[in-house]
Amino acid sequence: MNKLENAVYEMNLLEEQAGGCGRLNSLPALFKVIITVWYILLTVSFHKYDIFGLLGMGIYPLVLFLIYEIPFRQCIKRIKIILPFLLLAGIANPLLDKNILGSLGNRQVSGGVVSMATLMLKGLFTVLAGYLLIVSTSIEKICGALRKFHMPSILVTMILLIYRYISLLLKETNRVMQAYALRAPGQKGVGFKAWGSLAGLLLLRSMDRAENVYESMCLRGFDGSRGNSFQYTAEQKAKPADYIWLLLWGTGLFSLRIVPLLTIVGSLLVKG
Amino acid sequence: MREKMSHIHITLSNVTFGYEKNQKILKDITLSFGENERVGIIGANGAGKSTLLKLLVGLYTDFEGSIRVEEIPVEKKMLSRIREKIGYVFQDSDSQLFMSTVYDDVAFAPRNYGFSEEEVERRVNEALEAVHISYLRDRHTYKLSGGEKKLASIATILSMTPDIILMDEPSVALDPKNRRNLIQILNGFGHLKIIASHDLDFIMDTCSRVILINHGRVIKDGPAGEILTDKELLESNGLELPLRFTGRESLFSS
């Protein structure tokens, strides 16, 4: 498989996993979206030097990966493209903030290093939380949950269609690239002289396809101007156990935010 | 499927249409289609078959002349009512299947028309049953074969129990077995069917009336058996006799 085919394959696989019947999948999408947003808000609210408090928030993704048996290696493989950006996010902090906060062994640790690590962790945790949501919830269900939050229908529809458009664009690109490669033996990639026409062709073709999909939607009663015209999927009815899940994680995450769990455990160990 | 309404008909009067002002694709078309008719629209590539079908469902409304579907004029404010009555199956099934599962795709129209989830489920099950693909209900659409996609596409329109079915090149990309299956399913429907295709054997198997179009004009309108066996007429309009009438030897001659 080439890179584009692999990307399409991965998207399809992700969608299949999201539509599966695992325990995390069967939870109402609305509850998962609420907890994910809640988790992200709490995570990013930590102070830039509060790395030990932040580490406690790692419990949420850790527990979900373990309890619901979501392959962690596969997750890392999928998010690896984002990891360098997380590293780059706070890379200048050690240069800008040289204020010494403490020492690790016999090495002094500056505020810049701590804030860089905090920023990276925040990024990693939020990406993991987002991943756990999309690997267990189909895009239609996420969109349905967003509508429950009264997000404008037009915006939610755009999210759904852009998601669909990505795979459509990938498939078209793959077709064009294969046709090009078959008539350009020995070339690595696309010669720069063909870039313009290839990109233009790709745009026109994918617009044509998108137009057809839109026509097909219109013929089946879709009308973007009507607020509630597009229902994304069947409504999921929440069971009592789902409410307990929501309550436990809601309060549990808030407790992790206000109680420095790792510091307490650490001091208990030191005392012990 | 629900009982068909009586007096189902479509009338086109002096319809002229072009994507560009100076280039008319359809010229002065006057036609009518009656209840339970099985009509094939044939013509060479670019003759205007697909455009004609798209006009009937109001995908383009800036045409000259008039089109009426069950006495409802095809104009922007009436489109919702018209599209409830007409099911349109695209040539490319991928255009029609954009949700992740077959169920969600077939449920798309009933949900848009505001039916309850119980009613949506009933309609989806009936539509899938009508094309014998109930087993594909929860399958992801990207995993379907070409034949399955075509049947799923048909199910997406049947869930609205249309009175009229329009199909654009339905036999394209189907293997012989799926083609035969599709013919049997289509022949089992009591709807008014209008099928645009240049697969004349397919038209022969599914339609009793044929309309031949060339350069945007209706050249001939009559019984399928008469038009599809008229070699001279077909050839002068960029078509050939259906394969079953050509004789095997002609395939190997010259």
Side-chain angles (χ1 to χ4, degrees), chain A residues 12 15-16 140 164 212 216-217 219-220 222 229-230 232-234, chain B residues 54 83 95-96 98-100 105 108-109 111-112 117 140 142-143 156:
Chain A
N12 289 340
E15 211 160 292
E16 212 171 305
E140 285 86 1
R164 293 272 163 250
N212 281 341
S216 162
M217 289 172 70
L219 290 179
R220 287 192 274 154
F222 173 71
S229 66
F230 188 5
Y232 305 91
T233 187
Chain B
K54 288 187 174 182
R83 287 169 180 175
S95 302
Q96 201 136 0
F98 46 80
M99 303 294 276
S100 46
D105 234 311
F108 183 81
R111 280 180 181 151
N112 274 333
E117 204 49 45
H140 282 265
Y142 74 89
K143 277 193 162 180
T156 64

PDB file of all heavy atoms in Angstrom, chain A residues 12 15-16 140 164 212 216-217 219-220 222 229-230 232-234, chain B residues 54 83 95-96 98-100 105 108-109 111-112 117 140 142-143 156:
ATOM      1  N   ASN A  12     -10.751   4.273   7.288  1.00  0.00           N
ATOM      2  CA  ASN A  12     -11.820   3.279   7.282  1.00  0.00           C
ATOM      3  C   ASN A  12     -11.780   2.415   8.536  1.00  0.00           C
ATOM      4  O   ASN A  12     -12.805   2.100   9.130  1.00  0.00           O
ATOM      5  CB  ASN A  12     -11.714   2.382   6.042  1.00  0.00           C
ATOM      6  CG  ASN A  12     -12.072   3.133   4.776  1.00  0.00           C
ATOM      7  OD1 ASN A  12     -12.727   4.168   4.827  1.00  0.00           O
ATOM      8  ND2 ASN A  12     -11.626   2.642   3.638  1.00  0.00           N
ATOM      9  N   GLU A  15     -13.045   4.274  11.477  1.00  0.00           N
ATOM     10  CA  GLU A  15     -14.496   4.373  11.427  1.00  0.00           C
ATOM     11  C   GLU A  15     -15.147   3.060  11.861  1.00  0.00           C
ATOM     12  O   GLU A  15     -16.153   3.046  12.558  1.00  0.00           O
ATOM     13  CB  GLU A  15     -14.926   4.707   9.999  1.00  0.00           C
ATOM     14  CG  GLU A  15     -16.182   5.537   9.959  1.00  0.00           C
ATOM     15  CD  GLU A  15     -16.326   6.245   8.633  1.00  0.00           C
ATOM     16  OE1 GLU A  15     -15.534   7.144   8.319  1.00  0.00           O
ATOM     17  OE2 GLU A  15     -17.231   5.869   7.909  1.00  0.00           O
ATOM     18  N   GLU A  16     -14.497   1.976  11.453  1.00  0.00           N
ATOM     19  CA  GLU A  16     -15.007   0.661  11.831  1.00  0.00           C
ATOM     20  C   GLU A  16     -14.913   0.459  13.341  1.00  0.00           C
ATOM     21  O   GLU A  16     -15.845  -0.049  13.970  1.00  0.00           O
ATOM     22  CB  GLU A  16     -14.162  -0.403  11.118  1.00  0.00           C
ATOM     23  CG  GLU A  16     -14.936  -1.639  10.777  1.00  0.00           C
ATOM     24  CD  GLU A  16     -14.110  -2.538   9.898  1.00  0.00           C
ATOM     25  OE1 GLU A  16     -13.639  -2.070   8.839  1.00  0.00           O
ATOM     26  OE2 GLU A  16     -13.904  -3.680  10.280  1.00  0.00           O
ATOM     27  N   GLU A 140     -20.981  10.526  13.035  1.00  0.00           N
ATOM     28  CA  GLU A 140     -22.405  10.897  13.051  1.00  0.00           C
ATOM     29  C   GLU A 140     -22.892  11.081  14.493  1.00  0.00           C
ATOM     30  O   GLU A 140     -23.643  11.996  14.801  1.00  0.00           O
ATOM     31  CB  GLU A 140     -23.268   9.835  12.356  1.00  0.00           C
ATOM     32  CG  GLU A 140     -23.191   9.834  10.851  1.00  0.00           C
ATOM     33  CD  GLU A 140     -22.042   9.009  10.315  1.00  0.00           C
ATOM     34  OE1 GLU A 140     -21.302   8.408  11.135  1.00  0.00           O
ATOM     35  OE2 GLU A 140     -21.870   8.964   9.085  1.00  0.00           O
ATOM     36  N   ARG A 164     -16.221  13.680   5.708  1.00  0.00           N
ATOM     37  CA  ARG A 164     -16.473  12.814   4.549  1.00  0.00           C
ATOM     38  C   ARG A 164     -15.606  13.253   3.353  1.00  0.00           C
ATOM     39  O   ARG A 164     -15.143  12.434   2.578  1.00  0.00           O
ATOM     40  CB  ARG A 164     -17.948  12.874   4.143  1.00  0.00           C
ATOM     41  CG  ARG A 164     -18.867  12.280   5.140  1.00  0.00           C
ATOM     42  CD  ARG A 164     -19.045  10.784   4.906  1.00  0.00           C
ATOM     43  NE  ARG A 164     -19.611  10.164   6.085  1.00  0.00           N
ATOM     44  CZ  ARG A 164     -18.954   9.352   6.889  1.00  0.00           C
ATOM     45  NH1 ARG A 164     -17.717   9.021   6.644  1.00  0.00           N
ATOM     46  NH2 ARG A 164     -19.528   8.832   7.945  1.00  0.00           N
ATOM     47  N   ASN A 212     -21.994  16.018  -6.523  1.00  0.00           N
ATOM     48  CA  ASN A 212     -22.893  14.870  -6.681  1.00  0.00           C
ATOM     49  C   ASN A 212     -23.444  14.403  -5.339  1.00  0.00           C
ATOM     50  O   ASN A 212     -24.622  14.082  -5.224  1.00  0.00           O
ATOM     51  CB  ASN A 212     -22.149  13.704  -7.349  1.00  0.00           C
ATOM     52  CG  ASN A 212     -22.042  13.896  -8.838  1.00  0.00           C
ATOM     53  OD1 ASN A 212     -22.795  14.674  -9.416  1.00  0.00           O
ATOM     54  ND2 ASN A 212     -21.092  13.229  -9.457  1.00  0.00           N
ATOM     55  N   SER A 216     -27.286  14.400  -4.161  1.00  0.00           N
ATOM     56  CA  SER A 216     -27.910  13.197  -3.633  1.00  0.00           C
ATOM     57  C   SER A 216     -28.561  13.476  -2.276  1.00  0.00           C
ATOM     58  O   SER A 216     -29.640  12.968  -1.974  1.00  0.00           O
ATOM     59  CB  SER A 216     -26.863  12.094  -3.519  1.00  0.00           C
ATOM     60  OG  SER A 216     -27.278  11.094  -2.670  1.00  0.00           O
ATOM     61  N   MET A 217     -27.901  14.310  -1.460  1.00  0.00           N
ATOM     62  CA  MET A 217     -28.472  14.675  -0.156  1.00  0.00           C
ATOM     63  C   MET A 217     -29.751  15.496  -0.338  1.00  0.00           C
ATOM     64  O   MET A 217     -30.749  15.256   0.336  1.00  0.00           O
ATOM     65  CB  MET A 217     -27.453  15.491   0.651  1.00  0.00           C
ATOM     66  CG  MET A 217     -26.292  14.671   1.134  1.00  0.00           C
ATOM     67  SD  MET A 217     -25.018  15.701   1.855  1.00  0.00           S
ATOM     68  CE  MET A 217     -25.808  16.230   3.353  1.00  0.00           C
ATOM     69  N   LEU A 219     -31.764  15.490  -2.838  1.00  0.00           N
ATOM     70  CA  LEU A 219     -32.854  14.667  -3.365  1.00  0.00           C
ATOM     71  C   LEU A 219     -33.502  13.825  -2.283  1.00  0.00           C
ATOM     72  O   LEU A 219     -34.595  13.308  -2.456  1.00  0.00           O
ATOM     73  CB  LEU A 219     -32.334  13.754  -4.483  1.00  0.00           C
ATOM     74  CG  LEU A 219     -31.939  14.461  -5.772  1.00  0.00           C
ATOM     75  CD1 LEU A 219     -31.424  13.462  -6.786  1.00  0.00           C
ATOM     76  CD2 LEU A 219     -33.113  15.224  -6.351  1.00  0.00           C
ATOM     77  N   ARG A 220     -32.803  13.653  -1.173  1.00  0.00           N
ATOM     78  CA  ARG A 220     -33.377  12.850  -0.084  1.00  0.00           C
ATOM     79  C   ARG A 220     -33.755  13.735   1.105  1.00  0.00           C
ATOM     80  O   ARG A 220     -33.627  13.349   2.249  1.00  0.00           O
ATOM     81  CB  ARG A 220     -32.410  11.744   0.297  1.00  0.00           C
ATOM     82  CG  ARG A 220     -32.381  10.661  -0.779  1.00  0.00           C
ATOM     83  CD  ARG A 220     -31.673   9.440  -0.326  1.00  0.00           C
ATOM     84  NE  ARG A 220     -30.244   9.536  -0.539  1.00  0.00           N
ATOM     85  CZ  ARG A 220     -29.358   8.879   0.184  1.00  0.00           C
ATOM     86  NH1 ARG A 220     -29.726   8.122   1.179  1.00  0.00           N
ATOM     87  NH2 ARG A 220     -28.074   8.992  -0.089  1.00  0.00           N
ATOM     88  N   PHE A 222     -32.599  16.671   2.294  1.00  0.00           N
ATOM     89  CA  PHE A 222     -31.699  17.554   3.045  1.00  0.00           C
ATOM     90  C   PHE A 222     -31.893  18.992   2.572  1.00  0.00           C
ATOM     91  O   PHE A 222     -31.966  19.251   1.380  1.00  0.00           O
ATOM     92  CB  PHE A 222     -30.240  17.131   2.828  1.00  0.00           C
ATOM     93  CG  PHE A 222     -29.251  18.096   3.424  1.00  0.00           C
ATOM     94  CD1 PHE A 222     -29.104  18.190   4.789  1.00  0.00           C
ATOM     95  CD2 PHE A 222     -28.495  18.928   2.617  1.00  0.00           C
ATOM     96  CE1 PHE A 222     -28.208  19.079   5.341  1.00  0.00           C
ATOM     97  CE2 PHE A 222     -27.594  19.821   3.158  1.00  0.00           C
ATOM     98  CZ  PHE A 222     -27.456  19.896   4.532  1.00  0.00           C
ATOM     99  N   SER A 229     -33.044  20.009   9.953  1.00  0.00           N
ATOM    100  CA  SER A 229     -33.353  19.118   8.842  1.00  0.00           C
ATOM    101  C   SER A 229     -32.505  17.850   8.819  1.00  0.00           C
ATOM    102  O   SER A 229     -32.917  16.847   8.312  1.00  0.00           O
ATOM    103  CB  SER A 229     -33.185  19.864   7.525  1.00  0.00           C
ATOM    104  OG  SER A 229     -31.830  20.196   7.354  1.00  0.00           O
ATOM    105  N   PHE A 230     -31.332  17.906   9.355  1.00  0.00           N
ATOM    106  CA  PHE A 230     -30.409  16.793   9.185  1.00  0.00           C
ATOM    107  C   PHE A 230     -30.207  16.079  10.522  1.00  0.00           C
ATOM    108  O   PHE A 230     -29.545  16.594  11.403  1.00  0.00           O
ATOM    109  CB  PHE A 230     -29.093  17.345   8.660  1.00  0.00           C
ATOM    110  CG  PHE A 230     -28.085  16.312   8.248  1.00  0.00           C
ATOM    111  CD1 PHE A 230     -28.389  14.968   8.248  1.00  0.00           C
ATOM    112  CD2 PHE A 230     -26.820  16.690   7.872  1.00  0.00           C
ATOM    113  CE1 PHE A 230     -27.464  14.027   7.870  1.00  0.00           C
ATOM    114  CE2 PHE A 230     -25.880  15.750   7.487  1.00  0.00           C
ATOM    115  CZ  PHE A 230     -26.197  14.429   7.484  1.00  0.00           C
ATOM    116  N   TYR A 232     -28.496  13.103  12.400  1.00  0.00           N
ATOM    117  CA  TYR A 232     -27.263  12.420  12.040  1.00  0.00           C
ATOM    118  C   TYR A 232     -27.317  10.920  12.278  1.00  0.00           C
ATOM    119  O   TYR A 232     -26.766  10.139  11.541  1.00  0.00           O
ATOM    120  CB  TYR A 232     -26.099  13.062  12.788  1.00  0.00           C
ATOM    121  CG  TYR A 232     -26.067  14.544  12.522  1.00  0.00           C
ATOM    122  CD1 TYR A 232     -26.727  15.436  13.346  1.00  0.00           C
ATOM    123  CD2 TYR A 232     -25.468  15.029  11.379  1.00  0.00           C
ATOM    124  CE1 TYR A 232     -26.751  16.781  13.059  1.00  0.00           C
ATOM    125  CE2 TYR A 232     -25.487  16.374  11.086  1.00  0.00           C
ATOM    126  CZ  TYR A 232     -26.131  17.250  11.931  1.00  0.00           C
ATOM    127  OH  TYR A 232     -26.171  18.573  11.626  1.00  0.00           O
ATOM    128  N   THR A 233     -27.990  10.519  13.335  1.00  0.00           N
ATOM    129  CA  THR A 233     -28.069   9.097  13.634  1.00  0.00           C
ATOM    130  C   THR A 233     -29.190   8.866  14.638  1.00  0.00           C
ATOM    131  O   THR A 233     -29.769   9.818  15.152  1.00  0.00           O
ATOM    132  CB  THR A 233     -26.713   8.595  14.184  1.00  0.00           C
ATOM    133  OG1 THR A 233     -26.757   7.185  14.306  1.00  0.00           O
ATOM    134  CG2 THR A 233     -26.365   9.226  15.516  1.00  0.00           C
ATOM    135  N   ALA A 234     -29.480   7.593  14.875  1.00  0.00           N
ATOM    136  CA  ALA A 234     -30.544   7.292  15.838  1.00  0.00           C
ATOM    137  C   ALA A 234     -30.142   7.789  17.229  1.00  0.00           C
ATOM    138  O   ALA A 234     -28.968   7.752  17.578  1.00  0.00           O
ATOM    139  CB  ALA A 234     -30.785   5.790  15.879  1.00  0.00           C
TER     140      ALA A 234
ATOM    141  N   LYS B  54     -32.239  14.616 -14.497  1.00  0.00           N
ATOM    142  CA  LYS B  54     -31.982  15.607 -13.442  1.00  0.00           C
ATOM    143  C   LYS B  54     -33.014  16.735 -13.451  1.00  0.00           C
ATOM    144  O   LYS B  54     -33.340  17.287 -12.402  1.00  0.00           O
ATOM    145  CB  LYS B  54     -30.563  16.170 -13.573  1.00  0.00           C
ATOM    146  CG  LYS B  54     -29.508  15.144 -13.156  1.00  0.00           C
ATOM    147  CD  LYS B  54     -28.121  15.720 -13.113  1.00  0.00           C
ATOM    148  CE  LYS B  54     -27.148  14.695 -12.543  1.00  0.00           C
ATOM    149  NZ  LYS B  54     -25.789  15.188 -12.423  1.00  0.00           N
ATOM    150  N   ARG B  83     -39.713  15.683  -4.566  1.00  0.00           N
ATOM    151  CA  ARG B  83     -38.665  14.710  -4.262  1.00  0.00           C
ATOM    152  C   ARG B  83     -39.138  13.614  -3.308  1.00  0.00           C
ATOM    153  O   ARG B  83     -38.493  12.583  -3.175  1.00  0.00           O
ATOM    154  CB  ARG B  83     -37.441  15.446  -3.715  1.00  0.00           C
ATOM    155  CG  ARG B  83     -36.725  16.203  -4.819  1.00  0.00           C
ATOM    156  CD  ARG B  83     -35.695  17.145  -4.308  1.00  0.00           C
ATOM    157  NE  ARG B  83     -35.042  17.838  -5.416  1.00  0.00           N
ATOM    158  CZ  ARG B  83     -34.155  18.797  -5.268  1.00  0.00           C
ATOM    159  NH1 ARG B  83     -33.786  19.188  -4.055  1.00  0.00           N
ATOM    160  NH2 ARG B  83     -33.595  19.379  -6.318  1.00  0.00           N
ATOM    161  N   SER B  95     -21.713   8.365  -4.923  1.00  0.00           N
ATOM    162  CA  SER B  95     -22.324   9.677  -4.693  1.00  0.00           C
ATOM    163  C   SER B  95     -23.529   9.555  -3.774  1.00  0.00           C
ATOM    164  O   SER B  95     -23.923  10.502  -3.113  1.00  0.00           O
ATOM    165  CB  SER B  95     -22.800  10.285  -6.013  1.00  0.00           C
ATOM    166  OG  SER B  95     -21.741  10.411  -6.897  1.00  0.00           O
ATOM    167  N   GLN B  96     -24.126   8.378  -3.794  1.00  0.00           N
ATOM    168  CA  GLN B  96     -25.372   8.197  -3.060  1.00  0.00           C
ATOM    169  C   GLN B  96     -25.143   7.666  -1.646  1.00  0.00           C
ATOM    170  O   GLN B  96     -25.982   7.832  -0.782  1.00  0.00           O
ATOM    171  CB  GLN B  96     -26.252   7.202  -3.831  1.00  0.00           C
ATOM    172  CG  GLN B  96     -27.683   7.309  -3.474  1.00  0.00           C
ATOM    173  CD  GLN B  96     -28.564   7.271  -4.702  1.00  0.00           C
ATOM    174  OE1 GLN B  96     -28.088   7.158  -5.820  1.00  0.00           O
ATOM    175  NE2 GLN B  96     -29.849   7.369  -4.503  1.00  0.00           N
ATOM    176  N   PHE B  98     -23.086   8.136   1.455  1.00  0.00           N
ATOM    177  CA  PHE B  98     -22.100   9.011   2.097  1.00  0.00           C
ATOM    178  C   PHE B  98     -22.108   8.877   3.604  1.00  0.00           C
ATOM    179  O   PHE B  98     -21.306   9.504   4.277  1.00  0.00           O
ATOM    180  CB  PHE B  98     -22.335  10.476   1.693  1.00  0.00           C
ATOM    181  CG  PHE B  98     -23.775  10.888   1.758  1.00  0.00           C
ATOM    182  CD1 PHE B  98     -24.343  11.216   2.955  1.00  0.00           C
ATOM    183  CD2 PHE B  98     -24.545  10.887   0.612  1.00  0.00           C
ATOM    184  CE1 PHE B  98     -25.677  11.558   3.017  1.00  0.00           C
ATOM    185  CE2 PHE B  98     -25.890  11.231   0.672  1.00  0.00           C
ATOM    186  CZ  PHE B  98     -26.453  11.573   1.880  1.00  0.00           C
ATOM    187  N   MET B  99     -23.024   8.090   4.155  1.00  0.00           N
ATOM    188  CA  MET B  99     -22.991   7.867   5.600  1.00  0.00           C
ATOM    189  C   MET B  99     -22.109   6.645   5.855  1.00  0.00           C
ATOM    190  O   MET B  99     -21.737   5.938   4.922  1.00  0.00           O
ATOM    191  CB  MET B  99     -24.401   7.640   6.147  1.00  0.00           C
ATOM    192  CG  MET B  99     -25.360   8.766   5.857  1.00  0.00           C
ATOM    193  SD  MET B  99     -24.964  10.305   6.687  1.00  0.00           S
ATOM    194  CE  MET B  99     -25.702  10.036   8.279  1.00  0.00           C
ATOM    195  N   SER B 100     -21.796   6.374   7.114  1.00  0.00           N
ATOM    196  CA  SER B 100     -20.831   5.296   7.335  1.00  0.00           C
ATOM    197  C   SER B 100     -21.433   3.896   7.200  1.00  0.00           C
ATOM    198  O   SER B 100     -20.756   2.995   6.735  1.00  0.00           O
ATOM    199  CB  SER B 100     -20.120   5.466   8.676  1.00  0.00           C
ATOM    200  OG  SER B 100     -21.017   5.762   9.681  1.00  0.00           O
ATOM    201  N   ASP B 105     -27.433   5.277   5.908  1.00  0.00           N
ATOM    202  CA  ASP B 105     -27.635   5.840   4.583  1.00  0.00           C
ATOM    203  C   ASP B 105     -29.086   5.683   4.132  1.00  0.00           C
ATOM    204  O   ASP B 105     -29.679   6.620   3.597  1.00  0.00           O
ATOM    205  CB  ASP B 105     -26.699   5.153   3.579  1.00  0.00           C
ATOM    206  CG  ASP B 105     -25.876   6.176   2.844  1.00  0.00           C
ATOM    207  OD1 ASP B 105     -26.468   7.140   2.354  1.00  0.00           O
ATOM    208  OD2 ASP B 105     -24.642   6.031   2.786  1.00  0.00           O
ATOM    209  N   PHE B 108     -31.360   8.008   5.932  1.00  0.00           N
ATOM    210  CA  PHE B 108     -31.093   9.447   5.752  1.00  0.00           C
ATOM    211  C   PHE B 108     -32.348  10.231   5.341  1.00  0.00           C
ATOM    212  O   PHE B 108     -32.693  11.236   5.967  1.00  0.00           O
ATOM    213  CB  PHE B 108     -29.991   9.617   4.701  1.00  0.00           C
ATOM    214  CG  PHE B 108     -29.587  11.046   4.475  1.00  0.00           C
ATOM    215  CD1 PHE B 108     -28.702  11.680   5.332  1.00  0.00           C
ATOM    216  CD2 PHE B 108     -30.084  11.776   3.398  1.00  0.00           C
ATOM    217  CE1 PHE B 108     -28.327  13.000   5.133  1.00  0.00           C
ATOM    218  CE2 PHE B 108     -29.714  13.092   3.189  1.00  0.00           C
ATOM    219  CZ  PHE B 108     -28.840  13.696   4.059  1.00  0.00           C
ATOM    220  N   ALA B 109     -33.029   9.749   4.295  1.00  0.00           N
ATOM    221  CA  ALA B 109     -34.212  10.497   3.811  1.00  0.00           C
ATOM    222  C   ALA B 109     -35.359  10.485   4.823  1.00  0.00           C
ATOM    223  O   ALA B 109     -35.883  11.548   5.173  1.00  0.00           O
ATOM    224  CB  ALA B 109     -34.659   9.950   2.459  1.00  0.00           C
ATOM    225  N   ARG B 111     -35.316  10.239   7.971  1.00  0.00           N
ATOM    226  CA  ARG B 111     -34.959  11.106   9.111  1.00  0.00           C
ATOM    227  C   ARG B 111     -35.103  12.573   8.723  1.00  0.00           C
ATOM    228  O   ARG B 111     -35.580  13.389   9.500  1.00  0.00           O
ATOM    229  CB  ARG B 111     -33.523  10.835   9.560  1.00  0.00           C
ATOM    230  CG  ARG B 111     -33.401   9.605  10.445  1.00  0.00           C
ATOM    231  CD  ARG B 111     -31.970   9.377  10.859  1.00  0.00           C
ATOM    232  NE  ARG B 111     -31.842   8.190  11.681  1.00  0.00           N
ATOM    233  CZ  ARG B 111     -30.761   7.432  11.734  1.00  0.00           C
ATOM    234  NH1 ARG B 111     -29.704   7.747  11.010  1.00  0.00           N
ATOM    235  NH2 ARG B 111     -30.718   6.385  12.518  1.00  0.00           N
ATOM    236  N   ASN B 112     -34.683  12.883   7.485  1.00  0.00           N
ATOM    237  CA  ASN B 112     -34.804  14.275   7.033  1.00  0.00           C
ATOM    238  C   ASN B 112     -36.251  14.719   6.939  1.00  0.00           C
ATOM    239  O   ASN B 112     -36.551  15.891   7.111  1.00  0.00           O
ATOM    240  CB  ASN B 112     -34.146  14.446   5.660  1.00  0.00           C
ATOM    241  CG  ASN B 112     -32.669  14.728   5.786  1.00  0.00           C
ATOM    242  OD1 ASN B 112     -32.217  15.277   6.789  1.00  0.00           O
ATOM    243  ND2 ASN B 112     -31.906  14.343   4.788  1.00  0.00           N
ATOM    244  N   GLU B 117     -38.137   7.512  14.992  1.00  0.00           N
ATOM    245  CA  GLU B 117     -37.067   6.525  14.811  1.00  0.00           C
ATOM    246  C   GLU B 117     -37.640   5.116  14.584  1.00  0.00           C
ATOM    247  O   GLU B 117     -37.056   4.317  13.851  1.00  0.00           O
ATOM    248  CB  GLU B 117     -36.122   6.565  16.013  1.00  0.00           C
ATOM    249  CG  GLU B 117     -34.713   6.057  15.749  1.00  0.00           C
ATOM    250  CD  GLU B 117     -34.021   6.631  14.508  1.00  0.00           C
ATOM    251  OE1 GLU B 117     -34.065   7.856  14.263  1.00  0.00           O
ATOM    252  OE2 GLU B 117     -33.426   5.835  13.758  1.00  0.00           O
ATOM    253  N   HIS B 140     -20.450  -1.409   6.792  1.00  0.00           N
ATOM    254  CA  HIS B 140     -19.909  -0.098   6.396  1.00  0.00           C
ATOM    255  C   HIS B 140     -19.978   0.021   4.872  1.00  0.00           C
ATOM    256  O   HIS B 140     -19.661  -0.934   4.164  1.00  0.00           O
ATOM    257  CB  HIS B 140     -18.467   0.045   6.866  1.00  0.00           C
ATOM    258  CG  HIS B 140     -18.384   0.363   8.321  1.00  0.00           C
ATOM    259  ND1 HIS B 140     -18.277   1.656   8.777  1.00  0.00           N
ATOM    260  CD2 HIS B 140     -18.429  -0.409   9.420  1.00  0.00           C
ATOM    261  CE1 HIS B 140     -18.255   1.646  10.098  1.00  0.00           C
ATOM    262  NE2 HIS B 140     -18.341   0.401  10.516  1.00  0.00           N
ATOM    263  N   TYR B 142     -18.204   1.540   2.667  1.00  0.00           N
ATOM    264  CA  TYR B 142     -16.982   1.417   1.861  1.00  0.00           C
ATOM    265  C   TYR B 142     -16.585  -0.036   1.648  1.00  0.00           C
ATOM    266  O   TYR B 142     -15.753  -0.345   0.805  1.00  0.00           O
ATOM    267  CB  TYR B 142     -15.828   2.205   2.498  1.00  0.00           C
ATOM    268  CG  TYR B 142     -15.247   1.567   3.739  1.00  0.00           C
ATOM    269  CD1 TYR B 142     -14.213   0.648   3.649  1.00  0.00           C
ATOM    270  CD2 TYR B 142     -15.736   1.869   5.003  1.00  0.00           C
ATOM    271  CE1 TYR B 142     -13.691   0.048   4.777  1.00  0.00           C
ATOM    272  CE2 TYR B 142     -15.222   1.283   6.132  1.00  0.00           C
ATOM    273  CZ  TYR B 142     -14.187   0.383   6.018  1.00  0.00           C
ATOM    274  OH  TYR B 142     -13.688  -0.213   7.141  1.00  0.00           O
ATOM    275  N   LYS B 143     -17.195  -0.952   2.425  1.00  0.00           N
ATOM    276  CA  LYS B 143     -16.835  -2.363   2.304  1.00  0.00           C
ATOM    277  C   LYS B 143     -17.703  -3.119   1.298  1.00  0.00           C
ATOM    278  O   LYS B 143     -17.515  -4.308   1.087  1.00  0.00           O
ATOM    279  CB  LYS B 143     -16.978  -3.043   3.667  1.00  0.00           C
ATOM    280  CG  LYS B 143     -15.781  -2.856   4.568  1.00  0.00           C
ATOM    281  CD  LYS B 143     -15.866  -3.796   5.734  1.00  0.00           C
ATOM    282  CE  LYS B 143     -14.511  -3.935   6.393  1.00  0.00           C
ATOM    283  NZ  LYS B 143     -14.590  -4.844   7.528  1.00  0.00           N
ATOM    284  N   THR B 156     -31.818   3.211  -0.658  1.00  0.00           N
ATOM    285  CA  THR B 156     -31.864   4.567  -0.079  1.00  0.00           C
ATOM    286  C   THR B 156     -33.060   5.368  -0.602  1.00  0.00           C
ATOM    287  O   THR B 156     -33.574   6.221   0.097  1.00  0.00           O
ATOM    288  CB  THR B 156     -30.577   5.376  -0.371  1.00  0.00           C
ATOM    289  OG1 THR B 156     -30.460   5.583  -1.760  1.00  0.00           O
ATOM    290  CG2 THR B 156     -29.334   4.723   0.178  1.00  0.00           C
TER     291      THR B 156
END
